[in-house]
Amino acid sequence: MSSTKDIDDLIELMAKLPGLGPRSARRAVLHLIRKRALLLTPLADVMQTVAATARECLNCGNVGTLDVCDLCTSEKRANGELCVVEDVADLWAMERSGVFKGRYHVLGGTLSALDAVGPSELRIPKLLNRVQAEGISEVILALNATIDGQTTAHYIADQLEGQVQLTSLAQGVPIGGELDYLDDGTISAAMRARKSL
C-alpha cells in the first residue's frame, strides 16, 4: 500500500471539482497540508457538517440547512415577484447583486431533447403550481442565453400565458464591455433591446 494513498485519493477527488484539474488539485492539497491547523482541519470539520445538514429547499430548490429556506419564509419577499433560474449558482448570483427582493424558483436545469430532459425532469410542474398557490403577479425568467435556456423560457411562457405578467432579463452589452470583443449574437441582442436616453 502506498504511503501517499490517502493524499492521492484527496487529490483525485479535488480534481473532480469545477475549475480544478489534477495540477490545481495537487497544489491545493499540498497547500492544505502545509496549513493543516489553519485550513485542513477546519475545512474537514465544516465539510462533514455540511454533508450531514445540507438539503434542498422543498419550496424553491435553493440549498440550505432547513427544509424551507430563509428566502421562502421571509414575509418581506412575498411581493408577488418570482424569479426563475436554472440552478442554485444562478440564484446566488442574483442575490449577490442585491437588486431582486422577491422569491425564487430553481428549475434544476433546462429542457434538452438531446439529453432527454423534459418538463417533468425539472421543477416546472412545481413552478406552475406555485404561481397559482402563492398569488404570483410577475414571473421573471432569468435563464441563461443559451439555446436550451431560451427553449425552456419559451416553454414556461407558453404554460403561463394569460395567467401572470412574464418578463425576462435584458440581454446585450455588459457594463464595461467593448464592442470589438463582443460576439455577433450579443451585439444583435443589444440592438434589439436598445432604449431611449
Side-chain angles (χ1 to χ4, degrees):
M1 184 167 163
S2 169
S3 65
T4 61
K5 183 187 179 319
D6 291 340
I7 295 170
D8 292 339
D9 290 348
L10 179 57
I11 291 169
E12 188 176 320
L13 285 170
M14 294 279 288
K16 292 180 181 180
L17 294 173
L20 289 182
R23 288 182 181 175
S24 298
R26 191 175 307 113
R27 283 193 301 272
V29 168
L30 289 173
H31 181 75
L32 287 169
I33 291 170
R34 280 193 297 272
K35 304 283 186 172
R36 185 175 312 186
L38 185 65
L39 292 174
L40 185 58
T41 303
L43 178 63
D45 292 343
V46 170
M47 288 180 78
Q48 189 171 19
T49 301
V50 169
T53 62
R55 63 195 65 202
E56 188 176 275
C57 175
L58 298 174
N59 195 44
C60 74
N62 190 13
V63 174
T65 57
L66 303 173
D67 287 335
V68 179
C69 73
D70 296 339
L71 298 175
C72 287
T73 58
S74 170
E75 285 302 316
K76 292 179 182 176
R77 289 184 170 266
N79 61 8
E81 295 177 350
L82 187 66
C83 183
V84 178
V85 294
E86 288 179 30
D87 59 39
V88 174
D90 297 333
L91 185 157
W92 290 359
M94 293 290 292
E95 276 300 287
R96 259 193 332 270
S97 74
V99 297
F100 182 67
K101 301 299 181 195
R103 292 191 172 153
Y104 294 93
H105 188 83
V106 178
L107 294 176
T110 55
L111 297 172
S112 174
L114 289 174
D115 298 322
V117 177
S120 59
E121 283 76 41
L122 302 176
R123 300 180 78 248
I124 292 176
K126 174 84 172 168
L127 168 65
L128 302 178
N129 291 337
R130 282 187 74 190
V131 168
Q132 295 299 318
E134 296 179 22
I136 301 299
S137 58
E138 179 183 5
V139 172
I140 303 161
L141 299 173
L143 304 177
N144 292 325
T146 61
I147 291 173
D148 288 344
Q150 296 309 300
T151 300
T152 305
H154 287 296
Y155 177 82
I156 292 170
D158 287 344
Q159 298 300 305
L160 293 174
E161 187 175 4
Q163 299 178 45
V164 65
Q165 179 185 1
L166 289 163
T167 58
S168 65
L169 297 182
Q171 298 173 356
V173 180
I175 293 176
E178 297 179 30
L179 291 178
D180 189 36
Y181 293 105
L182 300 178
D183 62 275
D184 296 344
T186 301
I187 293 173
S188 296
M191 282 299 289
R192 286 192 305 273
R194 65 189 184 274
K195 59 182 181 171
S196 299
L197 295 177

